[in-house]
Amino acid sequence: MMNIDQVLRNELTPQQYNAAVDTAREVLCLACAGSGKSRTLAYRIARLLAEGEPPEGIVAFTFTEKASESIKRRVSQALTTAGLDATVMGAMYIGTIHSYCQHILGDIDAKYRQYDVLDDNRLKLYLISRYYQLGLQGFRPRAQNNSYFDTIKQASEAWKTTNDELLDFNAVAAEDQDVGDLLIRIRSGLREDQYIDFSLMIRDVVDSIRANVPGLENGIGNLRHIMVDEYQDVNPCQEELVRLLHQRSQTLFVVGDDDQSIYAWRGADVSNILGFQGRYRNSTVHTLSQNFRSTAPIVQASDSFAAVLLGPSRIAKNPAASTNLIPQDLRVLWFPDRSTEAGWVAARIRDLLGTAYNDNGNIRGLTPADFAVLMRSTRQAEQDGVPRHTAFTTALENLRIPFSLEAGGGPFDRPQTAVLRSTFELLRNVPLDRNAVQQHFNNEVILAYPDADFTALARVLTDWSRRIHRPQGSSRIRLRPQQLVYDLLEAFNIAQTNFGDDIMRDIGLFSRMIMDVETVYMSVDSRQRFSEVLNFLQNAAETGYDVSTDDVLQRPDAVTVSTVHKMKGLEFPCVFIVDVEAHRFPKRRSSYSGWLPPGVMTSAINRGAYQSTPDEEIRLFYTAATRAERYLHVSGAENLPQARRPARRSPYALQLATHPAVVQNAGGLPPGIVQATPRRRVEDADYPTSFTEIKYYLQCPRGYQLRQRYGLNPVIPEMFGYGQTVHTSIQKLHELYPNTPPSQDQVEQVVFDTFHLKHVPQSGDPVNRPGAYENSRNRAVEIAEDYVASFGADFERERQVEAVFEIPTSNCVISGSIDLLLHEDEHGEILHAEIIDFKTMEGGEAPAENDDLDWTELALQVQLYARAADQVMGQNTRTGSVHLLKDNQRIEVPITQEAVNAALSNIEWAVTGILGSDFPMRPHPEKCGKCDFKAICQATPQNFSVQTTVPPELHLPGRREMARAFSLYRGT
């Protein structure tokens, strides 16, 4: 078996090796595009682990979750090659900065674990849902054209910028009292409602470290090594977090490329990487200059472009192509008009489809997913009012080439989602006329959903109209818009239509938007609140909703049409940068136009943040060009749709064209083109990454496909969040009483302080007229009291933690978390660990035989952590149990080596099926009756097409049973 140094020398270039083994306290790794920075980072982590560094002391920050999964796989492969157990990865942190901060906050205070996270879409929805409570109506005069939705957007941006820049709320109020008070109201509202957005979670951790709050060490622990990927894109708050953490760590390793710093418009500060050596005088610097992605002409031309236009504002890296494979093409073209440009792009894609491509020694034919059409802006309108992407997407449609509008596309561009929205809109007013419904059905529904049933649709609309438009004075009932989605899809008979993946993903996006609404609104329980949902779908969702599904779903086998920003970190065999004209790419310079007063924004504005600057535009074009592996085409058009004057050529295109290899005529294909069988490249998004994904596949692969590949969401249940808040209350008890069991009064107080349900209103008279909220809270108190009374020993020299596991398998790393009870001696040293998975469930008289409990899932999770616990904690797990909190039963799960091996084999089997896109329906009445997607699934028995074996039986309490894809399957 090779030692780790041999592994590194075999797997890395000399430049990468030197960076990976550097032991200096601060290291700056400058990584050109395509130079293997993620590989270098991963092998540096593997080297630290192999040399005996404790895994819990390693933290590696990545820009996206997708990047973290890629690095985890590389670390796993390196450790395995060196003969080390890769499950130690579960004790370290590899992931985004905001996820790390969410973890830290949960360790500081268990309450944070029940906070819902707001992404940009949900943050806007939060502001919409609290519009009047926050006093946003008073800010409309500040908005563009007095717009309601621009008010929401500007408030959202002001909030995020205040946190990202670490601005003092009082300093903002001193210059603009109204804006300062608004920000304080938003902060107070989020805390009261138990929501947190990405900007606040990072700021909260920075503030906690500065204040050295109690419990901080629980989260940060014995930090020794920090690594930061994409360092050029960190903002001031993130940089302050890195600085504070490094005060506790031995080393800081940052990797990035100042030439690819393209997020200044949202606060990124390129001076962090440019000034690194000035801040850390004894730091060492490594440059990864070997480009493994692109051809020599692309590497040379793009680097020369950046060197000429950025000059001394950049760090020279002198990249060189590792190989210079053919066929290749580098063209800069100027067309007479937009339609000619778009037609050429579509025709060139058609001509290159199915041509041979050497993919790291693997010869395959190109497929649509190998092509990207990149633009500075996709949705901005031409003079004729049509979005800029339209000419190109129409040209692709005309040649029947599938495409995916990854960014800038409206969520209602496809008829299927547009019809869902317009059918929702029918329910705004009463009475609902049958003739109007018939006309809607004939003109819209049947065209988008050819198997739709008018009678079923009329029945759904009648039922929902009654629910929404209840007479004044009637008791309110909670409306579940997600249920309306499934009722409509069932009436549209979607199960029979057999739509392709692209349409199903769009329907999944609509489901995701409705899930966002239901997550943020306490309750949609009136005509007025339903109208607010409709207003959101008509306005904010159309113009202000991020429809990108990266990091969530597998990209379809389709041409990517996107903005450059959305494609950061990706690469394609063939790239077209289109709509490249003067004042478009680069766009005109713009200044900061937000609500925050100039005095507090001076520093940010002076460094070029939150605005468009020449340097930012140059870096954006460089980033676009370096997405290309073999074929790069840059094009623009002289006569744009209904433009008043001809466009001029972009200085960027003219500069790139100075390279001698650039072809400036549109005729002919590059030499060396031959045909090959088309075969798609396996991408990072194809790999399953979580235990949750795996468990869904083992239940029913079709259900996995609907949920994970298409993004469909379940209907939110009545008491959504109840299990989480009970679980959090148990964790809070362990946090506050680590050595002795709490008293009954203490239990009650902790549960009262912790208990929170976002979607169940509290009673106006909780003492005399307790409602569902109060009754649920009282039941939670009983559950916690019963637990402490029966299992008080859990609090004696024992510590309960929520532990993470990472299980390497089949080129994937499967992540999950579980509760762990650590038994300690009088000195706090861990004696052994006990896995206890707390579930807010009821077992009944014979819980191990209770069919309502999916023991194949419950046991599998316990057994996976038993696999990881020895490596992660350095201790053997003596027992593994599931604790059913509702009736206070603790059921032991087998964790013998045979049981653990069977669990791992099931994981391996599921991964094989997922990577092979093998998603048969595996119906059974018991399983299908509880399925979230029963209304849209045919439930037709199907065999596996890729899988040739079956997984072994799982070891359950008192018996063995196959995964439910087999044990609960009724075939033909």
Side-chain angles (χ1 to χ4, degrees), residues 207-429:
D207 290 343
S208 297
I209 297 175
R210 285 174 169 176
N212 196 28
V213 299
L216 182 63
E217 298 303 323
N218 294 339
I220 295 179
N222 184 26
L223 180 62
R224 295 169 64 87
H225 304 283
I226 306 170
M227 282 152 273
V228 186
D229 193 12
E230 303 287 4
Y231 185 61
Q232 75 280 351
D233 291 325
V234 301
N235 62 38
C237 187
Q238 294 167 336
E239 171 62 17
E240 177 65 0
L241 174 69
V242 170
R243 187 188 71 82
L244 291 170
L245 291 175
H246 184 40
Q247 290 178 350
R248 297 162 172 261
S249 75
Q250 293 182 2
T251 69
L252 171 64
F253 179 90
V254 301
V255 58
D257 180 4
D258 56 293
D259 288 338
Q260 297 182 69
S261 179
I262 62 173
Y263 293 108
W265 58 276
R266 67 185 189 194
D269 186 358
V270 70
S271 69
N272 289 325
I273 193 167
L274 294 174
F276 187 86
Q277 291 174 274
R279 293 194 307 282
Y280 301 108
R281 296 293 183 181
N282 296 319
S283 60
T284 58
V285 180
H286 299 270
T287 300
L288 307 183
S289 60
Q290 196 170 359
N291 184 304
F292 298 93
R293 175 186 300 163
S294 306
T295 63
I298 293 174
V299 172
Q300 294 162 6
S302 57
D303 182 63
S304 175
F305 166 85
V308 170
L309 296 185
L310 287 173
S313 296
R314 71 187 284 262
I315 302 173
K317 290 167 281 291
N318 303 315
S322 176
T323 58
N324 194 35
L325 297 175
I326 56 171
Q328 58 178 251
D329 206 6
L330 174 56
R331 302 195 187 210
V332 177
L333 305 174
W334 187 243
F335 292 94
D337 53 57
R338 176 64 78 236
S339 62
T340 304
E341 179 188 6
W344 185 87
V345 169
R348 179 51 52 109
I349 293 173
R350 176 200 61 200
D351 294 341
L352 289 175
L353 284 169
T355 61
Y357 190 80
N358 186 336
D359 209 350
N360 294 318
N362 176 29
I363 306 299
R364 62 180 184 85
L366 294 175
T367 75
D370 292 314
F371 298 84
V373 179
L374 305 184
M375 309 177 72
R376 178 63 182 81
S377 172
T378 53
R379 293 206 75 189
Q380 190 168 340
E382 299 280 12
Q383 293 295 320
D384 61 359
V386 176
R388 291 186 183 179
H389 71 77
T390 303
F392 299 93
T393 51
T394 299
L396 291 169
E397 283 180 334
N398 291 340
L399 295 181
R400 297 185 178 181
I401 298 173
F403 67 88
S404 173
L405 198 54
E406 289 290 320
F412 306 109
D413 288 349
R414 285 197 195 269
Q416 288 75 23
T417 49
V419 165
L420 281 168
R421 179 177 65 169
S422 61
T423 309
F424 262 62
E425 184 64 31
L426 288 177
L427 291 163
R428 185 185 290 272
N429 299 307

Side-chain angles (χ1 to χ4, degrees), residues 420 424 460 464 480-495 504 507-508 510-512 514-515 518 703 706-707 710-716 931-937:
L420 281 168
F424 262 62
V460 169
W464 276 86
R480 291 178 170 76
Q482 193 76 253
Q483 185 60 59
L484 176 56
V485 173
Y486 287 109
D487 289 350
L488 290 176
L489 292 175
E490 185 176 19
F492 296 161
N493 213 2
I494 190 176
M504 289 302 297
I507 293 171
F510 188 89
S511 172
R512 190 179 94 191
I514 297 300
M515 171 63 83
E518 294 195 80
L706 292 170
R707 188 186 305 266
Y710 298 154
L712 288 157
N713 288 275
V715 175
I716 290 183
C931 179
D932 293 321
F933 311 114
K934 60 186 176 184
I936 61 170
C937 180

Side-chain angles (χ1 to χ4, degrees), residues 41 153 160 166 169 242 306 416 424 457 459 477 504 575 600 606 628 694 767 783 790 806 831 946:
L41 186 64
K153 177 184 175 184
K160 291 185 295 183
L166 287 172
F169 287 79
V242 170
Q416 288 75 23
F424 262 62
L457 174 60
R459 188 165 53 245
I477 61 170
M504 289 302 297
V575 170
V600 299
N606 287 343
I694 295 294
V767 175
I783 289 172
S790 300
E806 306 272 8
L831 298 174
V946 174

